[in-house]
Amino acid sequence: MNITVSANAKINLFLDITGKREDGYHNIASVMHSLDLHDSINLTFNREERIIITTGNPYIPTDERNIAYKSAAKFLSELKTTQGISINITKRIPIGGGLGGSSTDGAAVLSGLNYIFRKPFSDEELLKMGASLSADIPFCMKKGAALCEGIGEIMTPLPTFSCCYAAIINPRFSLNTKMMYERYDSEGDNAHPSPEPMMAALKNNSVSDAAKYLYNAFEYPAGTLRPAVLRFKERLLAEGAVGALMSGSGSCVYGLFDNLSDCNALCEKLTFEKIFAIAARVI
């Protein structure tokens, strides 16, 4: 059995940190939306009774540090089988950019394994497995758009944009999520805006309205640590994006467009300047 699964990236249109939990994690309120930018995850059985990860990207770990590996190990443990699994990762999503790249790979592994083992687990059971590994995995399994609360596992589905594009800049440095939470705790703002206006923008299919309510509680701490984040945001706005924001805990910054030609033109211009830029459809 051999299957290839698309592992789609995500952006945060809205991300607030609503409190710190007794277990040390933080509660969030985040409106996430999937992109057509994706990794490809190929899964096949092997005879070695172990998990083997291969990839052409030298920066991706191929051992227990990889969430794709952890996801396969969790699935096989729950299934109580010693069947070997080979996982090949074709990486397109920038690493450590706040686009859910590792979590979506883990989500694809769980979904793909459930398919090739003839669906031994329900969707709810898979989501629970995913949440135990990464807060973003449940959303990455569902895809589309959703308000994600708790640590990310409580999801309220939302309508998706029908015509929206993102010009994504990868500053070529990453921001550690744990460190960003620590910086937020010490220097983040206490604005705590409501996600309702962003949710309304999705329901009204209005990119221009969404642009007014883009918010990321990590953006200020990230900008004080790496000013390039804010400079790239300003560049996107100056070049015609209707709105711009850092995604997740960073470091990628995206600008929203309501037409593909303008989005592509900007990415081509930035690429000519040797700035790493990708155009993606918001799906």
Side-chain angles (χ1 to χ4, degrees), residues 7-28:
N8 292 80
K10 60 83 181 170
I11 52 173
N12 298 81
L13 299 172
F14 179 97
L15 175 54
D16 189 28
I17 300 167
T18 57
K20 193 169 184 179
R21 299 153 50 114
E22 291 184 0
D23 61 7
Y25 288 95
H26 291 73
N27 284 322
I28 65 169

Side-chain angles (χ1 to χ4, degrees), residues 169-269:
I169 293 178
N170 176 11
R172 299 185 187 273
F173 57 79
S174 61
L175 294 171
N176 179 272
T177 299
K178 182 176 182 294
M179 179 184 67
M180 292 310 301
Y181 272 109
E182 291 171 350
R183 289 185 70 87
Y184 173 83
D185 288 338
S186 64
E187 60 182 67
D189 64 55
N190 292 305
H192 301 302
S194 170
E196 291 293 335
M198 181 59 73
M199 296 165 67
L202 283 164
K203 292 172 183 176
N204 294 329
N205 194 30
S206 175
V207 178
S208 59
D209 283 350
K212 299 174 187 175
Y213 300 109
L214 293 172
Y215 177 75
N216 187 341
F218 284 120
E219 197 172 63
Y220 176 76
T224 60
L225 178 67
R226 290 280 197 169
V229 168
L230 300 181
R231 288 199 298 271
F232 281 129
K233 178 180 176 178
E234 292 169 0
R235 175 71 187 276
L236 288 165
L237 292 171
E239 294 284 356
V242 295
L245 192 72
M246 185 182 78
S247 187
S249 59
S251 60
C252 285
V253 182
Y254 66 87
L256 295 182
F257 290 81
D258 55 15
N259 70 84
L260 180 59
S261 59
D262 288 349
C263 186
N264 278 334
L266 175 56
C267 288
E268 289 173 7
K269 180 178 182 179

